[in-house]
Amino acid sequence: MAKIIVVTSGKGGVGKTTSSAAIGTGIAMRGFKTVIIDFDIGLRNLDLIMGCERRVVYDFVNVINGEANLKQAMIKDKRIDTLFILPASQTRDKDALSKEGVERILNELAQEFDYIICDSPAGIESGAMMALYFADEAVVVTNPEVSSVRDSDRILGMLSSKSRRAEQGLPGIKEHLLLTRYNPERVVKGEMLSVEDVGEILAIKLLGVIPESQAVLNASNSGQPVILDQDSDAGQAYLDTVARLLGEEVPFRFLNVEKKGLLKRIFGG
Amino acid sequence: MSDHSFELKGSLFPLSVLYCQDLSAAAVKTQLQQKLAQAPAFFYRAPVVINVESATQAPDFEAIAEVFKELELVLVGVCGASAELKKAAQAAGLAALQLSKSKTPAKETKEPETKTEAVVAAAVMETKVVEQNIRSGQQIYAKGADLVIRGTVGAGAEVIADGNIHIYGTLRGKAIAGAAGDNQKRVFCHKLEAELISIAGSYWLSDSLQGEYWGKSACIGLQDDKLVLADLL
């Protein structure tokens, strides 16, 4: 039975799609058959981050409406055999998704895949609700600032009350906190909330801390999930995150300010 | 059109029921005096019903009524009466009440012991217990009950109760106690960082809560329409 993981946040622009792409790719690299679904109907982005935008023919809404089958709509990743992408429609809006339609497709995917990653749109409207409704686990992407934390708290409330698991009285969705754009230097200066601050407010288990990194923007622009850039701090942090998501114990890195060596101090860097 | 200026409706009230083996006026008086001495204010003008189930012959209801008057209690009527006793009680101006079988305490026939037991039906306030964090945007209302939160109330969340509110985590959102208007209700929390606290309609924003209890455990209540913060312990 496939595990359905929703990547959500409430607030926009915190790194949901980047994280979906990285986590989905990371899980697939471990050999699990994985599909990432873009639920952001009308604002299709996942295909760009994954670098497969030119191969989109049919989309999620086409499959729901029966205009195409899953085989036609899913795009197989060229780098990793076990990774597939189900792109969103760019021309429709979020009301095109129906609960029955989404359920039917998830059931169909569950027979074939080990992991289904749902990349949620921002907000708390129908699109976001649809992405989280069927989830078994949730990765709540949060930036270390107050409005993002507040919105994440709101989404956590939705996860525990508006999901299928909540409505059917099943064990709740397993919640994970993924802190992105973390900058230890600004935390020390008091310009950013610390890991401890966010953890105390949201009170859920910390899955990973992704440092603010130039590598993320580079990766997005080149259509390469940042987890494939294994020399970068963000790439390594996502590798750790995936390991924890799969149940491994990995120490946290990139939480403290790096001391600059003498050469770096002289020559900059 | 029905007339709303006059209505006769049935309602349920908690009444104290007196169980007394010896129903002579003198015995009732002695036993009652002892009981009243323990809590005089509590029983002042309290409505009382006498259980006469164990009585073999009709007690002197008029004399007993005098005793009640003297002790400033209100004798409402009798319960558990046989048809004969019912008549006697009604003749003395008392009401004959129906006793619900399940509420009768086990009778002890061996010792002539006098008991005044308050059968307080449904006077205990309910408690609603929530075993999770209350997230931003969520609202919990404990109607006619106390509210216990085994978790944290997030900023933007609201917890409301007609009774008291106990929060074992941090209170960052809004807490509204005594929502039905009881100004004796209070809010207890393990860590006070509230956006708003309201008791019986009077409220304070976080600005007024800053001070020695901010970020610490506290108990918040009303005294003369003023907010009073106190140590939890």
Side-chain angles (χ1 to χ4, degrees):
Chain A
M1 193 56 196
K3 201 170 258 182
I4 303 174
I5 302 174
V6 61
V7 179
T8 186
S9 71
K11 193 171 163 60
V14 295
K16 281 183 297 299
T17 302
T18 300
S19 297
S20 297
I23 291 171
T25 306
I27 293 174
M29 280 158 58
R30 299 288 194 105
F32 295 106
K33 207 166 175 197
T34 307
V35 57
I36 314 174
I37 308 175
D38 191 351
F39 272 80
D40 203 349
I41 312 298
L43 295 167
R44 197 180 79 201
N45 283 166
L46 179 69
D47 50 314
L48 288 169
I49 307 283
M50 294 297 297
C52 61
E53 70 276 12
R54 295 195 191 145
R55 297 162 62 207
V56 176
V57 182
Y58 293 106
D59 58 52
F60 193 18
V61 174
N62 291 139
V63 182
I64 285 183
N65 293 343
E67 294 150 8
N69 62 36
L70 269 173
K71 287 262 174 316
Q72 290 171 300
M74 276 196 297
I75 302 166
K76 190 172 189 293
D77 189 83
K78 284 190 167 163
R79 297 155 290 219
I80 297 147
D81 305 341
T82 49
L83 181 61
F84 290 79
I85 290 101
L86 185 54
S89 167
Q90 182 69 351
T91 51
R92 306 291 292 275
D93 62 40
K94 289 173 180 71
D95 299 329
L97 297 179
S98 66
K99 208 177 257 182
E100 296 72 29
V102 172
E103 184 173 24
R104 183 167 52 80
I105 289 172
L106 288 177
N107 285 341
E108 206 174 315
L109 288 170
Q111 291 171 6
E112 199 184 331
F113 287 89
D114 301 312
Y115 283 90
I116 300 170
I117 313 290
C118 302
D119 179 21
S120 171
I124 53 170
E125 288 79 28
S126 67
M129 290 301 108
M130 217 58 87
L132 68 78
Y133 186 76
F134 297 99
D136 300 308
E137 296 192 22
V139 174
V140 178
V141 184
T142 307
N143 285 170
E145 50 98 17
V146 285
S147 62
S148 175
V149 172
R150 168 80 59 95
D151 292 357
S152 294
D153 197 41
R154 181 93 167 99
I155 276 292
L156 284 164
M158 300 270 185
L159 286 168
S160 60
S161 62
K162 297 275 161 63
S163 62
R164 176 174 63 174
R165 282 172 169 270
E167 284 180 5
Q168 297 182 356
L170 300 165
I173 293 176
K174 201 169 168 192
E175 298 154 342
H176 307 276
L177 173 63
L178 180 61
L179 209 52
T180 54
R181 299 206 169 150
Y182 195 72
N183 185 332
E185 283 174 35
R186 299 191 66 185
V187 172
V188 170
K189 285 186 205 160
E191 296 171 350
M192 217 178 234
L193 295 176
S194 68
V195 176
E196 292 77 21
D197 292 339
V198 180
E200 200 205 320
I201 296 173
L202 294 180
I204 55 170
K205 200 159 190 311
L206 184 66
L207 178 71
V209 179
I210 312 300
E212 191 165 44
S213 167
Q214 196 57 46
V216 173
L217 188 64
N218 291 344
S220 296
N221 285 337
S222 62
Q224 292 271 351
V226 70
I227 199 167
L228 295 173
D229 183 358
Q230 295 185 9
D231 296 330
S232 70
D233 47 0
Q236 290 174 26
Y238 272 116
L239 282 173
D240 290 355
T241 300
V242 167
R244 288 188 204 103
L245 194 60
L246 297 173
E248 293 166 27
E249 290 275 338
V250 183
F252 286 92
R253 297 190 275 172
F254 316 110
L255 297 185
N256 300 312
V257 181
E258 255 182 85
K259 290 198 179 72
K260 282 186 179 169
L262 184 63
L263 286 174
K264 268 200 175 172
R265 250 186 274 173
I266 294 168
F267 299 108
Chain B
M1 281 280 282
S2 61
D3 184 2
H4 289 288
S5 66
F6 178 81
E7 277 181 292
L8 197 54
K9 281 182 162 178
S11 210
L12 290 167
F13 298 97
L15 289 175
S16 299
V17 179
L18 174 70
Y19 295 86
C20 194
Q21 212 72 33
D22 181 357
L23 280 172
S24 71
V28 169
K29 186 175 178 180
T30 336
Q31 303 281 7
L32 272 178
Q33 271 172 334
Q34 280 174 14
K35 192 77 194 170
L36 292 186
Q38 292 169 11
F42 186 77
F43 289 108
Y44 178 72
R45 293 255 186 269
V48 177
V49 175
I50 305 178
N51 186 304
V52 292
E53 262 180 314
S54 55
T56 44
Q57 57 180 57
D60 185 349
F61 285 123
E62 276 168 24
I64 294 175
E66 275 304 309
V67 169
F68 271 75
K69 211 171 178 184
E70 197 184 315
L71 297 175
E72 297 191 291
L73 293 167
V74 181
L75 180 57
V76 179
V78 297
C79 62
S82 62
E84 188 194 338
L85 283 182
K86 236 180 220 176
K87 262 186 196 163
Q90 281 165 340
L94 298 176
L97 304 174
Q98 195 83 33
L99 187 68
S100 61
K101 288 267 155 52
S102 58
K103 296 265 167 63
T104 321
K107 276 183 288 178
E108 289 173 37
T109 44
K110 277 181 188 166
E111 291 169 74
E113 197 188 0
T114 310
K115 279 195 231 164
T116 14
E117 239 178 81
V119 176
V120 189
V124 178
M125 203 174 216
E126 294 281 321
T127 303
K128 180 173 183 159
V129 182
V130 180
E131 313 245 5
Q132 64 176 47
N133 294 321
I134 312 301
R135 302 290 184 180
S136 182
Q138 287 184 310
Q139 201 181 45
I140 304 282
Y141 176 34
K143 189 174 164 56
D146 279 1
L147 180 58
V148 173
I149 309 281
R150 279 187 68 199
T152 285
V153 177
E158 282 180 30
V159 289
I160 307 165
D162 291 341
N164 300 300
I165 299 178
H166 306 255
I167 298 158
Y168 290 96
T170 307
L171 169 59
R172 297 197 181 89
K174 299 179 182 176
I176 296 156
D182 186 347
N183 59 15
Q184 297 302 306
K185 299 303 177 199
R186 291 191 281 176
V187 174
F188 305 83
C189 63
H190 199 252
K191 193 171 175 189
L192 176 67
E193 291 178 10
E195 285 174 346
L196 175 144
I197 286 187
S198 165
I199 290 163
S202 311
Y203 69 88
W204 299 269
L205 293 171
S206 66
D207 287 352
S208 346
L209 298 165
Q210 309 278 346
E212 74 169 299
Y213 289 101
W214 192 254
K216 303 205 179 84
S217 66
C219 145
I220 304 107
L222 259 187
Q223 221 169 58
D224 305 327
D225 287 334
K226 275 197 186 129
L227 172 78
V228 181
L229 289 128
D231 289 322
L232 203 53
L233 284 171

